[in-house]
Amino acid sequence: MQFPLETEALVVETPGEEFKLTPIIIEELRPDEVLVEMSYSGICHTDFLLQKGLLGGLIEYPAIAGHEGAGYIRALGAEVQDKSLNVGDPVLLSFTCCGTCEPCKENRRSRCDVFPFINLTARRWPDKSSATKLADGRAVGSHYFGQSSFARVSAVQERCVVKCAYPDDMAIYAPMGCGYQTGAGTVLNILKPRPYQTVAIFGVGSVGFAALMAAAALPVKSIIAIDVVERKLSLAKDLGATHTINPSDAETQLSVVERIKEATGGRGADFAIDTTGIPSVMEQMLDCLAPGGTAASVGVPPPVDISVNVGAFFLGTKNWVTVTEGDSYAPDFIPQLIDLHRQGKFPVERICKVYPVAEMEQAISEMESGVVIKPIIQF
Ligand SMILES: [Zn+2]
Ligand SMILES: [Zn+2]
């Protein structure tokens, strides 16, 4: 492979501007990087945080988003550690980590000491360099979550790469590396509900659906899906929700928390997951817990205070955890989820739709209106 290499990517020029397919140049492949030709990339809400400038000044623009890539290895850096990787291998991409801090050494990658800097700055860590530039010579942020997968070809950090044993299903597996493992990992790696327990899921976008499908793959007593989009709730019922609650339902005077209590014989939910990051929804998540219950915040909230009755929380021996990327070690967890899918227990094909890269804006608008849960772009 010859460098510099000319290709194209969906570049965000300044915060608030659209993703625009733009010629870029990859200057070099570092020894710990893998060159991946993308076939697909899922679109995740965290990509909009980059596009809209909502990452608190972490990003220098222009920059390339995308962190649910799937494609083929086209070149390997000279010091890539994983000797099982070969040019031509189909791979799925997940987040990256430093590899040297104590959590990383224990494969607890989502707890990496420098997680926000290494994943959310769209630069290499720690030298803050970029792999790509525009035709006019300006640097373009690459390495978003170590990969910047909204590109036809990308220099990817080695720790992002997970081999995909089923290349024919690469399109539907692309979001394994973020959205799907985030929701499923919260249930399977952190909450681990038992057969007599109840799981309430606030917000059924792709993370909420992944949590729902993972819970439905287990023996659990009931699964309550809460969302304002009726279409999503009927799909949630199809995929295993035993109860659905639409907070904008005008036919009842009961609050969402009262309806969850009603659905659980007055106890409340043993587990509640918030995928929305909306402060008022997070309060409902904490209020709806049964004694001994655990709330898991998965959606990224704004930096604000919320109200919690700590006395009631303490006396109920309740817990509140935050979970990033489902606490997943992607090289093990993604193949586990793929196995579940192949057993028919994690039917991701029911929630995704593939769009050509030229239809990026349509994919985004159908995601925002709830017509499609997980859009995937095809290069
Ligand atoms: Zn994501
Ligand atoms: Zn680390």
Side-chain angles (χ1 to χ4, degrees):
M1 197 60 69
Q2 289 287 318
F3 294 93
L5 180 80
E6 291 178 23
T7 183
E8 280 183 323
L10 291 164
V11 171
V12 176
E13 183 69 35
T14 54
E17 272 187 47
E18 287 184 355
F19 299 99
K20 197 173 153 210
L21 202 57
T22 307
I24 58 159
I25 298 158
I26 301 176
E27 297 188 274
E28 59 162 352
L29 188 69
R30 293 263 175 102
D32 64 341
E33 291 174 349
V34 177
L35 193 75
V36 176
E37 182 176 1
M38 285 326 145
S39 303
Y40 303 96
S41 178
I43 303 174
C44 171
H45 278 288
T46 312
D47 297 317
F48 303 139
L49 299 184
L50 180 151
Q51 185 237 338
K52 292 174 179 164
L54 299 177
L55 284 167
L58 285 174
I59 301 276
E60 282 179 57
Y61 294 84
I64 305 164
H67 59 287
E68 293 183 340
Y72 290 88
I73 296 179
R74 295 300 178 220
L76 289 165
E79 290 167 22
V80 166
Q81 300 290 308
D82 183 348
K83 298 303 172 200
S84 75
L85 297 178
N86 292 296
V87 171
D89 282 348
V91 291
L92 302 173
L93 304 179
S94 189
F95 63 96
T96 191
C97 60
C98 79
T100 55
C101 70
E102 293 303 325
C104 278
K105 282 190 218 160
E106 291 195 317
N107 289 341
R108 303 173 98 186
R109 291 180 165 186
S110 70
R111 304 176 191 210
C112 174
D113 285 354
V114 293
F115 185 96
F117 307 104
I118 203 165
N119 284 291
L120 295 170
T121 54
R123 296 276 162 163
R124 291 187 180 104
W125 178 264
D127 74 351
K128 298 186 183 172
S129 65
S130 165
T132 54
K133 62 180 185 184
L134 294 174
D136 64 13
R138 283 180 300 147
V140 191
S142 59
H143 289 78
Y144 192 53
F145 285 81
Q147 55 175 286
S148 286
S149 60
F150 288 172
R152 292 194 192 280
V153 183
S154 191
V156 170
Q157 214 290 323
E158 178 192 356
R159 279 183 285 275
C160 298
V161 175
V162 178
K163 276 217 226 190
C164 178
Y166 304 96
D168 291 347
D169 285 330
M170 195 184 261
I172 62 169
Y173 290 159
M176 289 290 181
C178 184
Y180 296 165
Q181 76 178 3
T182 296
T186 299
V187 172
L188 302 176
N189 297 330
I190 297 287
L191 302 181
K192 302 179 179 171
R194 300 185 187 195
Y196 54 85
Q197 291 182 310
T198 297
V199 183
I201 300 164
F202 290 85
V204 276
S206 62
V207 171
F209 266 105
L212 189 156
M213 292 187 288
L218 299 171
V220 296
K221 185 175 177 199
S222 50
I223 301 170
I224 305 168
I226 303 116
D227 204 289
V228 291
V229 180
E230 205 53 49
R231 198 184 159 278
K232 292 185 185 176
L233 292 177
S234 72
L235 182 58
K237 271 211 155 136
D238 272 4
L239 295 180
T242 54
H243 303 74
T244 57
I245 294 174
N246 186 336
S248 55
D249 186 349
E251 281 177 26
T252 173
Q253 299 293 313
L254 297 178
S255 69
V256 170
V257 171
E258 286 166 337
R259 291 171 72 187
I260 291 171
K261 296 230 161 133
E262 186 183 59
T264 52
R267 278 190 82 238
D270 296 294
F271 299 105
I273 301 169
D274 171 55
T275 69
T276 71
I278 299 168
S280 59
V281 176
M282 294 170 75
E283 289 178 349
Q284 293 168 0
M285 166 185 73
L286 296 171
D287 281 347
C288 81
L289 287 178
T294 296
S297 285
V298 177
V300 183
V304 298
D305 295 344
I306 64 167
S307 169
V308 186
N309 182 322
V310 288
F313 207 76
F314 179 88
L315 292 175
T317 57
K318 296 172 188 178
N319 308 283
W320 181 15
V321 295
T322 62
V323 189
T324 305
E325 296 286 349
D327 205 32
S328 313
Y329 177 61
D332 288 344
F333 193 56
I334 289 177
Q336 237 173 285
L337 290 179
I338 289 176
D339 278 352
L340 261 190
H341 173 259
R342 301 198 88 79
Q343 294 165 34
K345 292 180 180 171
F346 194 63
V348 286
E349 69 282 358
R350 298 286 305 276
I351 63 168
C352 66
K353 180 176 168 188
V354 178
Y355 302 77
V357 64
E359 291 173 18
M360 180 72 175
E361 291 308 313
Q362 165 139 10
I364 293 170
S365 84
E366 291 192 7
M367 179 186 192
E368 283 173 347
S369 65
V371 171
V372 64
I373 307 295
K374 171 58 81 178
I376 292 159
I377 49 169
Q378 179 173 21
F379 288 101

